[in-house]
Amino acid sequence: MRIVTTLPSATETVAALGLEPVGVSHECDYPPGAASAPAVTRSRIEADSSASSAEIDRQVLESSDTEAGVYEIDVETLDELEPDAIVTQGMCDVCAVDEAVVEAVVDRISAAPEIVPTDPHTVGDVLDDLERIGRVVGREDRAREVRADLESRIDAIRSQTADLAAADRPRVAIFDWTDPVMIAGHWTADLVEWAGGTYGLADPGERSRPREWEEILAYDPEIVVVAPCGFGLEQIARNRADLTGRDGWADLTAVREGRVWALDGDHYLNRPGPRLVDTLEALAPIVRPELFDREETLADAAASFEEIAVPFDELAALEGPDSESQPEIDSRP
């Protein structure tokens, strides 16, 4: 079957089923070989890894407000690939090409592919999508095997935290964006609870959304994880002043106690695919270091702990000697 995927999590899911898409999105980079497949999408926003969080937010909002939107599909390339199925998403038109765009384009190509939309908001939804895609592409048995393995890894974490009393669970805040401040939603509450914390700023399945900084101060998280959508660790490093320059940042319990972490949001928090279990295994030793050994917990993960997360106060070293540090300015909304 000739499969095209229009977002990274779909590519990772198809790969977990033992298949290689014939076409992918311009952002697909895992597994490593995925980037060599023809890209059928492109962004209308000029890519610039040095752009600030605020500038990227401005460009996204401006593009979202136009009829054209943020992304477009290369119709000619898609037509040449003659797909039997296109795995896309209906969750967020800012994150990737959505189902409506794909449906409009399919009428313009010679093939008649089945459109397989995904719209996950919890870890359970992600696992259900895995099996549903498996049925469409003829890999039902493989999908059940992968799901069973992922659930076994989840259960290994949950079995050690399930009996923790609410009073013993630290308050956790995970930032999905830093200027403006957004708290990560969807599956994040599941991950934090299973890792042994409490996630008082969003319920399971709730969408990510902007928050007033005063709300964060009032919550006073005991653990902070900074994992902006689309940002790897180096880009988080370049934008760390978005948080460190805010009034009251230094007074947060997490900051005072040195429990602030940067996590590769691009690969490990914002992609609703199989590697969300890697994310859980990285969060567990951050939230409950007394219960989980980093390397043992991540034994089955695709990367080491240090590749996924680093202490926030060590971020400066990731900028490199030639990078220009951003000034520590007050960026309150």
Side-chain angles (χ1 to χ4, degrees):
M1 176 173 279
R2 298 178 64 79
I3 305 165
V4 165
T5 57
T6 68
L7 69 161
S9 61
T11 300
E12 295 186 22
T13 299
V14 169
L17 297 174
L19 299 172
E20 294 183 9
V22 297
V24 298
S25 83
H26 64 287
E27 296 179 309
C28 291
D29 57 7
Y30 187 88
S36 63
V40 300
T41 70
R42 51 182 170 256
S43 173
R44 291 188 172 91
I45 297 175
E46 185 177 350
D48 183 357
S49 62
S50 66
S52 69
S53 301
E55 173 60 20
I56 293 171
D57 183 69
R58 183 191 65 77
Q59 292 184 45
V60 168
L61 289 176
E62 288 181 353
S63 295
S64 299
D65 288 340
T66 66
E67 184 177 344
V70 179
Y71 301 100
E72 61 182 332
I73 293 178
D74 183 335
V75 181
E76 183 178 350
T77 298
L78 184 64
D79 191 22
E80 292 173 352
L81 292 174
E82 300 181 326
D84 299 306
I86 301 176
V87 185
T88 185
Q89 60 94 33
M91 182 177 62
C92 176
D93 59 3
V94 169
C95 299
V97 168
D98 66 12
E99 181 183 2
V101 175
V102 174
E103 288 177 344
V105 166
V106 163
D107 291 337
R108 300 165 56 190
I109 65 175
S110 57
E114 179 174 357
I115 299 175
V116 187
T118 62
D119 188 25
H121 297 279
T122 66
V123 175
D125 292 342
V126 173
L127 298 177
D128 289 344
D129 280 344
L130 171 70
E131 289 205 79
R132 187 163 57 85
I133 294 170
R135 288 192 293 271
V136 171
V137 302
R139 293 295 178 98
E140 294 179 72
D141 290 343
R142 174 62 177 168
R144 284 193 290 268
E145 292 173 2
V146 174
R147 178 169 187 160
D149 177 66
L150 295 174
E151 289 181 330
S152 176
R153 291 166 61 188
I154 292 170
D155 289 342
I157 301 293
R158 297 183 68 182
S159 65
Q160 297 193 59
T161 63
D163 295 332
L164 292 171
D168 296 329
R169 291 174 174 266
R171 297 183 304 279
V172 179
I174 299 185
F175 292 104
D176 184 61
W177 199 249
T178 54
D179 190 8
V181 167
M182 296 181 70
I183 291 295
H186 303 292
W187 43 84
T188 307
D190 287 337
L191 300 178
V192 170
E193 179 185 352
W194 297 343
T198 185
Y199 203 59
L201 291 173
D203 295 325
E206 182 180 348
R207 291 181 180 272
S208 304
R209 61 182 178 88
R211 304 299 180 99
E212 295 295 334
W213 181 242
E214 287 71 20
E215 185 179 0
I216 309 300
L217 296 178
Y219 179 61
D220 190 22
E222 296 166 275
I223 298 172
V224 165
V225 178
V226 184
C229 185
F231 278 22
L233 294 173
E234 291 184 7
Q235 200 161 359
I236 297 173
R238 288 193 292 271
N239 289 273
R240 65 190 186 281
D242 290 348
L243 295 175
T244 60
R246 290 182 180 271
D247 184 40
W249 167 260
D251 298 324
L252 293 175
T253 298
V255 178
R256 288 189 288 104
E257 296 183 354
R259 302 192 71 183
V260 182
W261 291 80
L263 186 144
D264 182 343
D266 182 26
H267 285 91
Y268 290 99
L269 185 69
N270 312 128
R271 298 187 186 188
R275 285 196 294 172
L276 277 185
V277 178
D278 294 13
T279 307
L280 172 63
E281 292 170 340
L283 280 176
I286 289 174
V287 178
R288 310 299 308 205
E290 77 281 9
L291 295 178
F292 299 99
D293 177 88
R294 297 174 184 176
E295 299 307 325
E296 288 182 6
T297 304
L298 279 160
D300 295 322
S304 67
F305 182 87
E306 290 75 15
E307 293 174 289
I308 301 173
V310 299
F312 204 68
D313 59 9
E314 296 179 11
L315 279 178
L318 297 180
E319 286 188 288
D322 298 325
S323 299
E324 294 183 5
S325 300
Q326 291 188 350
E328 301 285 325
I329 60 173
D330 183 21
S331 53
R332 285 175 290 176

